[in-house]
């Protein structure tokens, strides 16, 4: 069975003693996916650790009851964004407004809520919203036409507010309280929500469904909420079918579904940050990772459609790139196919004192003039060029290309790199069928260092 607990706080200490058993029990109960939302920097890091350890997903944010101190706000915000660079941290949440606890003044809560909304829009991350005694105010601040999925976690708005939320396309999170006897109004609201906009969640360790009230909640109990949703939505299909529908909805809500899957614009590798601008390439190298994988180390790098310029630029703008040794334009395709964009992005990074490197197949001489290529090279601090062969015949065998005379174009690019005096490194791949001693000899003749990977 496929099942998704879309909101489950496994980071809380309630699970310290038996986390592995809790995760195993949820799998046995048919919960194949779990997302762990967070409340501050510390819990966001812990959620990311758990997600990576157990192949789950996590979200990072400041909960309205756990906002940072004004004196450390900038530093904390930067640390929180760093967590969003983790490979299984795929959403921003939970943020929102809580006028029930009122731990912080409404103005401060609204400031941080709006900040999270703006960040989600800049990065293209789904947004998980908490509202307690603030359902109307939350809707006031959320965009009417959200550019990213909005998930109203543990929603308890009345019918009028629910109708507004539904008309804007928000997802409605349903959990244990829908099973409580006194909550007839909530059940009526849930029965009115279009099936495609419903998500199931446990909010563990809180809000256990009947008959487990008073005990610690856990994701294995998702099924009890699914059963209630099934009943409220007509009850004609099997539990498995309802669970599958809710799973699919959640995959869409968190942009994990093949139809709207979000690819990572940036990803961490070693002490560098890599920028992924395209999934297109003129070559079909025999060793290319794209032949077998969709990404690297849990990052999804394959775009359904290449990202708009603004998404790449705003991603670089938002993230604390200064924390990395360098920014590498590499990705899951050939970055020079978007030369204007990478020049702009590199300039933005260098203006912040960050070194930039271009990793390229060197074939842009097939569609750019020498002057433009020199301008491109001048936009980076260093360049790494995939040499991969010792001559045209070998290159055509290992790196078949749609570019005519690709080897000649590559040689031309290498000569231009030499002329531009940019720090240059050539690369080749071991076990690719290339004659490495001859490739090494060629690199020597070209008077450039070679890295054999
Ligand atoms: S040039 Fe790079 S991205 Fe293109 S096919 Fe070869 S290895 Fe893959």
């Amino acid at each position: 069975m496929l099942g998704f607990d879309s909101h489950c706080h496994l980071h809380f200490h309630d699970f310290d003693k038996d986390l592995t058993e809790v995760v195993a029990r949820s799998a046995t109960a048919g919960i194949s996916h779990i997302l762990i939302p967070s409340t501050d920097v510390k819990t966001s890091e812990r959620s990311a650790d758990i997600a990576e350890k157990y192949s789950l997903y996590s979200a990072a944010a400041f909960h309205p009851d756990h906002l940072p101190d004004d004196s450390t706000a900038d530093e904390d915000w930067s640390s929180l964004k760093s967590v969003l660079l983790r490979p299984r941290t795929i959403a921003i949440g939970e943020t929102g407004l809580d006028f029930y606890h009122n731990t912080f003044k409404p103005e401060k809560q609204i400031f941080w809520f709006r900040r999270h909304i703006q960040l989600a829009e800049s990065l293209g991350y789904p947004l998980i919203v908490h509202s307690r005694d603030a359902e109307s105010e939350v809707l006031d601040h959320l965009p009417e036409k959200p550019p990213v999925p909005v998930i109203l976690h543990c929603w308890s708005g009345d019918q009028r507010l629910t109708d507004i939320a539904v008309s804007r396309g928000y997802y409605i999170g349903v959990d244990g309280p829908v099973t409580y006897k006194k909550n007839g109004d909530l059940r009526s609201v849930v029965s009115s929500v279009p099936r495609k906009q419903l998500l199931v969640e446990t909010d563990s360790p809180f809000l256990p469904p009947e008959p487990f009230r008073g005990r610690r909640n856990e994701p294995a109990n998702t099924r009890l909420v699914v059963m209630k949703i099934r009943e409220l939505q007509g009850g004609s299909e099997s539990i498995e079918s309802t669970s599958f529908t809710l799973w699919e909805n959640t995959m869409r809500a968190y942009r994990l579904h093949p139809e709207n899957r979000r690819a990572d614009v940036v990803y961490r590798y070693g002490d560098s940050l890599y920028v992924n601008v395209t999934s297109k390439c003129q070559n079909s190298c025999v060793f290319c990772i794209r032949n077998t994988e969709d990404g690297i180390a849990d990052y999804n790098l394959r775009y359904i459609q290449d990202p708009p310029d603004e998404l790449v630029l705003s991603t670089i703008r938002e993230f604390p790139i200064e924390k990395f040794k360098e920014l590498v334009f590499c990705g899951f395709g050939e970055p020079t196919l978007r030369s204007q964009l990478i020049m702009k992005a590199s300039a933005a990074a260098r203006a912040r004192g960050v070194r930039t490197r271009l990793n390229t197949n060197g074939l842009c001489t097939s569609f750019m003039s020498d002057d433009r290529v020199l301008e491109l090279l001048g936009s980076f601090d260093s360049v790494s060029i995939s040499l991969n062969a010792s001559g045209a015949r070998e290159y055509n065998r290992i790196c078949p290309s749609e570019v005519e005379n690709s080897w000649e174009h590559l040689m031309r690019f290498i000569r231009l790199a030499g002329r531009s005096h940019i720090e240059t490194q050539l690369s080749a791949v071991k076990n690719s069928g290339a004659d490495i001693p001859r490739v090494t000899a060629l690199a020597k003749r070209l008077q450039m260092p070679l890295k054999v990977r």
Side-chain angles (χ1 to χ4, degrees):
M1 187 169 105
L2 284 169
F4 207 139
D5 183 352
S6 65
H7 194 108
C8 172
H9 290 282
L10 291 179
H11 59 81
F12 279 135
H13 292 304
D14 308 61
F15 295 108
D16 278 359
K17 286 203 178 111
D18 61 347
L19 183 57
T20 301
E21 289 80 4
V22 167
V23 173
R25 268 199 298 277
S26 69
T28 307
I31 301 308
S32 50
H33 294 69
I34 293 173
L35 181 128
I36 314 164
S38 307
T39 56
D40 57 18
V41 173
K42 219 168 162 191
T43 58
S44 295
E45 282 167 350
R46 181 158 164 71
S47 297
D49 290 343
I50 296 170
E52 286 164 28
K53 180 170 179 187
Y54 293 100
S55 296
L56 311 175
Y57 294 102
S58 75
F62 293 120
H63 184 286
D65 293 335
H66 299 269
L67 298 177
D69 194 85
D70 291 350
S71 63
T72 58
D74 287 347
E75 203 183 311
D76 291 346
W77 187 232
S78 170
S79 300
L80 190 85
K81 288 180 185 177
S82 291
V83 184
L84 289 168
L85 288 168
R86 305 268 303 254
R88 287 190 163 269
T89 305
I90 56 155
I92 292 177
E94 56 184 281
T95 176
L97 302 174
D98 192 323
F99 295 164
Y100 173 80
H101 290 106
N102 262 327
T103 312
F104 296 96
K105 286 187 177 152
E107 308 83 68
K108 180 162 175 167
Q109 292 191 44
I110 290 166
F111 169 81
W112 281 102
F113 182 35
R114 294 189 70 89
R115 219 172 174 190
H116 283 84
I117 295 171
Q118 186 266 321
L119 182 64
E121 291 177 0
S122 293
L123 300 178
Y125 280 49
L127 185 75
I128 305 166
V129 179
H130 167 102
S131 55
R132 188 132 185 225
D133 283 1
E135 287 75 17
S136 178
E137 290 83 353
V138 150
L139 294 187
D140 287 345
H141 293 286
L142 285 169
E144 285 182 23
K145 289 190 181 145
V148 295
V150 171
I151 295 124
L152 299 177
H153 140 67
C154 194
W155 178 245
S156 58
D158 62 18
Q159 191 63 58
R160 187 183 68 82
L161 295 176
T162 305
D163 290 344
I164 294 171
V166 164
S167 71
R168 294 180 182 180
Y170 302 163
Y171 290 92
I172 306 291
V174 181
D175 31 24
V178 78
T179 66
Y180 303 169
K181 207 170 166 193
K182 61 169 185 163
N183 284 342
D185 288 351
L186 177 61
R187 281 188 284 281
S188 159
V189 160
V190 170
S191 64
S192 77
V193 175
R195 178 174 304 212
K196 285 203 147 196
Q197 284 171 256
L198 283 170
L199 306 187
V200 63
E201 56 182 58
T202 59
D203 204 14
S204 300
F206 314 112
L207 304 177
E210 293 288 8
F212 295 123
R213 290 188 76 178
R215 297 200 214 162
R216 180 191 72 175
N217 199 4
E218 63 174 67
N221 294 336
T222 307
R223 190 179 170 88
L224 294 165
V225 186
V226 173
M227 283 165 70
K228 184 53 82 179
I229 292 174
R230 170 181 169 267
E231 181 192 315
L232 295 171
Q233 288 272 315
S236 57
E237 59 181 16
S238 66
I239 292 285
E240 284 68 26
S241 175
T242 305
S243 183
F244 177 74
T245 303
L246 296 166
W247 173 84
E248 247 200 331
N249 295 348
T250 316
M251 293 293 278
R252 278 198 194 89
Y254 287 136
R255 300 197 60 191
L256 295 167
H257 196 281
E259 281 171 14
N260 70 340
R261 193 167 179 198
R262 186 183 62 80
D264 290 295
V265 174
V266 289
Y267 60 100
R268 298 187 328 184
Y269 191 74
D271 45 13
S272 299
L273 189 68
Y274 284 67
V275 187
N276 173 30
V277 294
T278 181
S279 292
K280 299 190 179 88
C281 182
Q282 312 96 318
N283 283 3
S284 308
C285 302
V286 292
F287 54 80
C288 183
I289 189 172
R290 304 182 319 154
N291 299 337
T292 51
E293 308 290 334
D294 281 337
I296 296 166
D298 278 347
Y299 289 106
N300 174 42
L301 302 180
R302 194 182 292 281
Y303 289 112
I304 302 170
Q305 220 178 0
D306 282 352
D309 287 11
E310 187 43 40
L311 178 61
V312 175
L313 295 171
S314 60
T315 299
I316 290 172
R317 196 164 53 234
E318 289 290 359
F319 279 126
I321 56 175
E322 294 85 354
K323 292 184 180 174
F324 295 89
K325 188 182 105 192
E326 61 180 350
L327 203 62
V328 184
F329 292 79
C330 173
F332 219 53
E334 172 49 38
T336 60
L337 291 173
R338 302 193 69 184
S339 56
Q340 297 280 1
L341 168 62
I342 58 173
M343 284 164 76
K344 246 194 228 173
S346 177
R350 292 171 96 188
R352 286 163 65 183
V354 178
R355 269 181 67 84
T356 62
R357 166 157 57 102
L358 171 64
N359 283 7
T360 177
N361 61 19
L363 299 184
C364 61
T365 45
S366 64
F367 59 89
M368 289 168 80
S369 68
D370 286 3
D371 284 349
R372 286 293 290 158
V373 172
L374 287 169
E375 197 188 329
L376 173 77
L377 288 165
S379 311
F380 296 87
D381 293 297
S382 66
V383 62
S384 172
I385 309 169
S386 305
L387 180 60
N388 287 334
S390 56
R393 255 179 77 188
E394 193 173 64
Y395 188 79
N396 291 340
R397 180 167 51 79
I398 298 170
C399 303
S401 182
E402 63 191 36
V403 174
E404 250 181 75
N405 303 319
S406 51
W407 178 254
E408 285 71 25
H409 283 295
L410 170 57
M411 288 299 117
R412 185 179 190 85
F413 184 83
I414 291 173
R415 278 196 299 276
L416 287 170
R419 239 171 77 189
S420 76
H421 301 299
I422 187 172
E423 186 185 316
T424 304
Q425 181 172 67
L426 305 176
S427 71
V429 177
K430 246 188 267 170
N431 305 323
S432 63
D435 184 335
I436 296 297
R438 288 187 63 192
V439 179
T440 308
L442 173 60
K444 215 168 172 186
R445 284 203 301 282
L446 292 166
Q447 298 184 328
M448 287 179 180
L450 174 75
K451 184 175 182 184
V452 180
R453 292 183 282 129

